[in-house]
Amino acid sequence: MKGAAKGHVIGPTTNPASGRVHLPGSILAQLSQGEGLGNGIEESNLRYQKIAGRGRRNILFIIDSSGSMVADDRFAKVKGCVISLLERAYSKRVRVAIISYGGGKARLVLPFTTSAELAAERIDELKGGGSTPMVDALGIAGNLLERMRDEDLSVYLLSDGRYNRNSTGRENWQIREFGDFCKSRNIPVTLIDAGSGTKTAKKRSAFLAGMLHAEYKRMDDLEVEMFDPEE
């Protein structure tokens, strides 16, 4: 639908960013699977309204650069993983931003950009060490995302599941608040578990993913294609 006005529905998509179901597309998806409609539409067959002006995807990486990530070269693996993904993102004209937390502070390392070279440079400069102020990083992320209404957004948190306990004892509540915010805005969150892989580490990361309403993935299982925008 070339030339569609910004804000108009231009078709169905599997991306839930608009938050509105595209009923004809959902019905066709279900029928194409050879399934009837008697029991309603399966969640896997739901299609959403694709809105003109929302074609460009924005990916926010939140990266744990604390001391616990330095062990066993996990932080180096995280940086290598993100750099390879950024190269793919650039070829698809995806905008990328990076927030890092470690060393007792969180900061916006890179505002949204399509420059893979700049993003890779900022990632490569990250140094691991120190404490794990995840809640501060999520606060920065929330403020950034709040200003980006009507954008196609995704959040990827690369973490081993550890985070500081703060003086208020409300860190879990604050993490859940960020997860609830993203869910209310139809912003998908993915937790990429960069932990050691032990049973305890996986359990810790799975608990964090639950608080964030996030999809859980192991870093070793990542495929670059998961970051491709909807065509």
Side-chain angles (χ1 to χ4, degrees):
M1 190 172 177
K2 190 175 181 180
K6 184 175 180 180
H8 286 199
V9 178
I10 58 175
T13 175
T14 57
N15 190 324
S18 72
R20 298 192 291 272
V21 171
H22 190 285
L23 186 57
S26 300
I27 292 173
L28 287 174
Q30 179 127 333
L31 294 177
S32 70
Q33 298 297 317
E35 303 172 10
L37 300 172
N39 295 320
I41 298 174
E42 296 289 333
E43 185 175 354
S44 61
N45 293 324
L46 283 177
R47 298 296 182 267
Y48 300 88
Q49 294 178 6
K50 188 172 185 179
I51 309 299
R54 297 190 63 162
R56 170 168 284 182
R57 189 175 180 193
N58 300 274
I59 299 177
L60 172 60
F61 288 105
I62 305 174
I63 301 176
D64 181 352
S65 59
S66 64
S68 63
M69 290 288 289
V70 178
D72 301 322
D73 294 324
R74 280 181 278 142
F75 185 56
K77 291 178 183 177
V78 167
K79 292 203 294 185
C81 172
V82 174
I83 288 173
S84 67
L85 294 170
L86 288 168
E87 293 171 352
R88 181 63 167 258
Y90 177 74
S91 70
K92 295 289 185 176
R93 304 301 294 173
V94 176
R95 296 201 307 170
V96 173
I98 301 168
I99 293 171
S100 170
Y101 63 98
K105 63 181 179 180
R107 61 192 180 98
L108 178 63
V109 176
L110 182 74
F112 279 103
T113 180
T114 57
S115 173
E117 182 178 353
L118 177 59
E121 179 182 309
R122 296 288 176 84
I123 278 283
D124 196 49
E125 291 173 351
L126 289 177
K127 305 299 181 184
S131 59
T132 317
M134 178 189 293
V135 170
D136 293 343
L138 297 182
I140 294 172
N143 289 334
L144 180 63
L145 298 175
E146 177 62 34
R147 300 195 298 268
M148 299 184 66
R149 294 187 177 274
D150 299 320
E151 296 278 359
D152 184 352
L153 298 161
S154 300
V155 176
Y156 291 87
L157 171 61
L158 288 89
S159 167
D160 62 1
R162 299 177 185 272
Y163 50 91
N164 287 358
R165 308 294 174 180
N166 57 38
S167 59
T168 66
R170 292 164 58 86
E171 61 281 342
N172 284 2
W173 180 85
Q174 291 169 298
I175 291 170
R176 288 191 177 95
E177 185 179 44
F178 178 78
D180 290 345
F181 163 77
C182 289
K183 184 177 181 179
S184 71
R185 288 276 303 275
N186 297 296
I187 301 172
V189 180
T190 302
L191 173 66
I192 300 175
D193 183 4
S196 62
T198 65
K199 184 176 180 180
T200 299
K202 288 181 179 178
K203 184 177 180 180
R204 180 173 57 236
S205 292
F207 178 73
L208 176 61
M211 288 196 291
L212 291 168
H213 307 294
E215 182 179 3
Y216 173 90
K217 290 184 178 292
R218 285 283 300 160
M219 191 176 72
D220 294 341
D221 298 331
L222 285 187
E223 297 179 359
V224 175
E225 285 75 11
M226 67 181 278
F227 294 88
D228 280 350
E230 186 75 25
E231 296 293 347

